């Protein structure tokens, strides 16, 4: 399958227009995820979305090593430059002294000598124990503090200077925070990763980010149907059961999942679906490589947005915060109670 590429405006680099997600949450073991990455590479994916907090970089690194050495049966050796590997800095490693070591640990676990992209996973240094209650609030949690974020960002810039990472970027950042970063950075973010699926399109923000020459990667592109119970609320909607998605799937003779991915491709962003099943891995890739949506289908899908954010981030809330909306600067301002303001 010929996987299309997008050009990263910041560098002219080519990034595969579909990536493979690797967040196994509670239900996919690290070894199962490694096996899924083998299937993905065999299917033709070359863009793998990793993160230290997913806890499986060592197992994925072993697969990448095997793939580059030509040790995977039925798959010739893959050159390093043909892979696009993304890593992410977890929230407990934002301190200036922690960024470099956390990055190097990921690099070592992944068995690589550079990453294609390194993202700040969340713009908050807020750490919570794995699998903690969704309503738990860590006493050390704090809101976004721009000066602190810039200290973290400057460490990422140094990784670019050192030739250890080709691009740096943001994840889960809002327009208000992005504007501050663009104002103060030396090296601009090349990529923003954010939740995007037909029921959560963030149209205005996506256009804004793209107008800044920043590539948009969309996570939970299928609406994360198997996410854990703790990440579900009764008002959540199901993209793949939307009548318009189902009707367009029927017209294309494909699964509704494929329609979600075709919508992402037509929308100009890069989806990073996860699957553990060979059939789905292959059909997801095919969805962005062949049989695109018509203009009319794309426009119909644009109208089914429900503003349904699935990954709300409640566990990152600080003591005085109201609800999860406080993480997303919905009125364009960044909430920061006085006690957190740096004198
Ligand atoms: N930056 C961030 O903060 C952030 C946050 C969340 C996620 N992510 C990234 O985004 C990736 C994708 O998000 P996600 O895994 O939550 O959600 P997703 O890709 O929307 O959905 C994945 C689920 O959909 C099922 N699926 C896949 N293909 C299918 C198909 N063709 N038909 C039917 N079901 C299908 C999979 O089950 P099967 O295994 O049964 O196929 C899997 O459980 C993550 O893995 C991670 O890499 C990033």
């Amino acid at each position: 399958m010929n996987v299309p590429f997008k050009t990263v405006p910041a560098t002219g680099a080519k990034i595969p227009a579909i990536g493979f997600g690797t967040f196994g949450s509670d239900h996919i073991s690290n070894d199962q995820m490694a096996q899924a990455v083998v299937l993905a590479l065999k299917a033709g994916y070359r863009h793998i979305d990793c993160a230290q907090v997913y806890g499986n970089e060592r197992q994925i690194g072993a697969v990448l090593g095997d793939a580059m050495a030509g040790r995977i049966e039925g798959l010739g050796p893959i050159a390093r430059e043909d892979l696009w590997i993304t890593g992410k800095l977890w929230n407990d490693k934002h301190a200036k002294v922690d960024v470099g070591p956390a990055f190097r640990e990921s690099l070592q676990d992944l068995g690589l000598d550079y990453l294609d992209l390194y993202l700040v996973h969340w713009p908050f240094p807020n750490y919570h124990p794995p699998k903690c209650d969704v309503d738990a609030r860590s006493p050390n949690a704090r809101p976004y503090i721009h000066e602190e974020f810039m200290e973290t960002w400057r460490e990422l810039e140094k990784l670019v200077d050192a030739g250890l990472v080709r691009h740096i970027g943001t994840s889960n950042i809002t327009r208000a925070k992005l504007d501050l970063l663009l104002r103060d950075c030396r090296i601009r973010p090349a990529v923003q990763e954010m939740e995007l699926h037909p029921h959560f399109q963030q149209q205005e923000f996506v256009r804004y980010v793209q107008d800044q020459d920043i590539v948009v990667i969309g996570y939970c592109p299928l609406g994360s149907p198997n996410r854990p119970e703790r990440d579900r609320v009764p008002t959540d909607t199901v993209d793949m059961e939307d009548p318009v998605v189902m009707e367009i799937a029927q017209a294309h003779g494909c699964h509704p999942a494929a329609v979600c991915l075709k919508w992402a491709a037509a929308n100009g962003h890069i989806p990073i679906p996860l699957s553990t099943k060979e059939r789905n891995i292959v059909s997801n890739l095919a969805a962005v490589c062949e049989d695109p949506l018509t203009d009319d289908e794309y426009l119909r899908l644009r109208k089914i947005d429900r503003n349904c954010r699935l990954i709300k981030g409640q566990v990152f809330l600080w003591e005085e915060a109201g609800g999860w909306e406080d993480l997303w600067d919905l009125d364009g301002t960044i909430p920061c109670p006085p006690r957190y303001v740096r004198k």
Side-chain angles (χ1 to χ4, degrees):
M1 229 170 312
N2 274 338
V3 181
F5 288 89
K6 293 185 98 55
T7 301
V8 183
T11 59
K14 300 283 184 213
I15 175 170
I18 177 168
F20 189 73
T22 65
F23 178 38
S25 196
D26 308 340
H27 65 289
I28 303 170
S29 73
N30 294 344
D31 290 335
Q32 283 172 313
M33 188 58 77
Q35 194 44 41
V37 174
V38 169
L39 295 173
L41 292 171
K42 281 186 163 186
Y45 293 78
R46 294 293 179 266
H47 166 178
I48 315 290
D49 183 75
C50 305
Q52 191 156 49
V53 73
Y54 301 164
N56 52 22
E57 287 187 325
R58 205 172 298 171
Q59 289 80 1
I60 292 172
V63 171
L64 297 178
D66 285 345
M68 288 187 286
R71 287 192 295 261
I72 296 179
E73 208 188 318
L75 182 68
I78 300 177
R80 171 66 186 92
E81 56 271 25
D82 290 337
L83 290 168
W84 178 286
I85 308 298
T86 298
K88 305 188 196 89
L89 178 76
W90 186 236
N91 305 4
D92 60 342
K93 303 291 182 195
H94 278 211
K96 211 169 159 179
V97 294
D98 291 332
V99 176
F103 174 84
R104 284 183 175 78
E105 195 179 329
S106 280
L107 205 57
Q108 189 174 3
D109 285 350
L110 290 164
L112 302 173
D113 50 19
Y114 70 91
L115 290 188
D116 298 277
L117 174 63
Y118 199 50
L119 305 173
V120 183
H121 206 145
W122 287 83
F124 311 97
N126 301 343
Y127 178 69
H128 58 93
K131 301 181 192 174
C132 75
D133 186 86
V134 78
D135 295 320
R137 289 199 188 182
S138 158
N140 299 320
R142 39 195 205 279
Y144 177 83
I145 299 170
H146 182 58
E147 292 80 359
E148 287 186 3
F149 188 79
M150 286 313 298
E151 281 173 10
T152 308
W153 188 260
R154 303 241 179 273
E155 296 305 306
L156 265 71
E157 290 175 332
K158 288 182 196 163
L159 298 173
V160 177
D161 294 340
L164 292 168
V165 60
R166 293 170 71 210
H167 306 88
I168 51 178
T170 51
S171 169
N172 297 305
I173 210 165
T174 60
R175 160 94 190 248
K177 296 178 182 107
L178 179 63
D179 281 342
L180 292 177
L181 174 61
L182 291 174
R183 185 192 69 193
D184 293 338
C185 64
R186 177 169 62 82
I187 301 179
R188 287 165 61 89
V191 171
Q192 146 83 340
E193 187 167 306
M194 57 203 272
E195 181 180 332
L196 289 173
H197 39 96
H199 280 182
F200 189 57
Q201 302 192 13
Q202 307 200 65
Q203 290 173 14
E204 206 179 308
F205 186 38
V206 168
R207 292 296 159 253
Y208 181 74
V209 175
Q210 290 171 334
D211 285 347
Q212 298 296 322
D213 276 347
I214 297 171
V215 171
V216 174
I217 293 180
Y219 72 70
C220 300
L222 310 177
S224 199
N226 297 322
R227 67 193 181 282
E229 273 311 310
R230 63 171 182 272
D231 286 335
R232 293 173 194 266
V233 297
T235 49
D236 286 351
T237 58
V238 183
D239 302 70
M240 292 197 269
E241 290 174 9
D242 186 290
V244 176
V245 173
M246 290 168 67
E247 213 177 291
I248 295 174
Q250 205 166 22
H252 284 258
C254 66
H255 192 277
V259 173
C260 296
L261 299 171
K262 288 179 192 299
W263 167 77
N267 198 44
H269 70 265
I270 299 177
I272 47 171
L274 157 74
S275 175
T276 50
K277 301 197 175 73
E278 186 171 11
R279 187 188 64 236
N280 293 345
I281 289 171
V282 170
S283 62
N284 291 346
L285 187 74
V288 301
C289 297
E290 51 199 44
D291 192 23
L293 298 178
T294 63
D295 291 348
D296 179 56
E297 288 166 340
Y298 172 66
L299 290 175
R300 285 181 69 202
L301 289 167
R302 295 252 314 185
K303 292 188 189 135
I304 64 165
D305 190 5
R306 305 273 191 88
N307 196 22
C308 179
R309 187 187 288 283
L310 302 172
I311 307 300
K312 299 171 180 70
Q314 304 92 313
V315 285
F316 304 129
L317 288 171
W318 51 97
E319 213 172 79
E320 303 89 335
W324 60 265
E325 292 84 352
D326 281 7
L327 297 168
W328 302 101
D329 312 334
L330 298 184
D331 64 359
T333 58
I334 303 171
C336 190
R339 76 174 168 114
Y340 299 103
V341 176
R342 275 202 182 173
K343 303 286 179 292

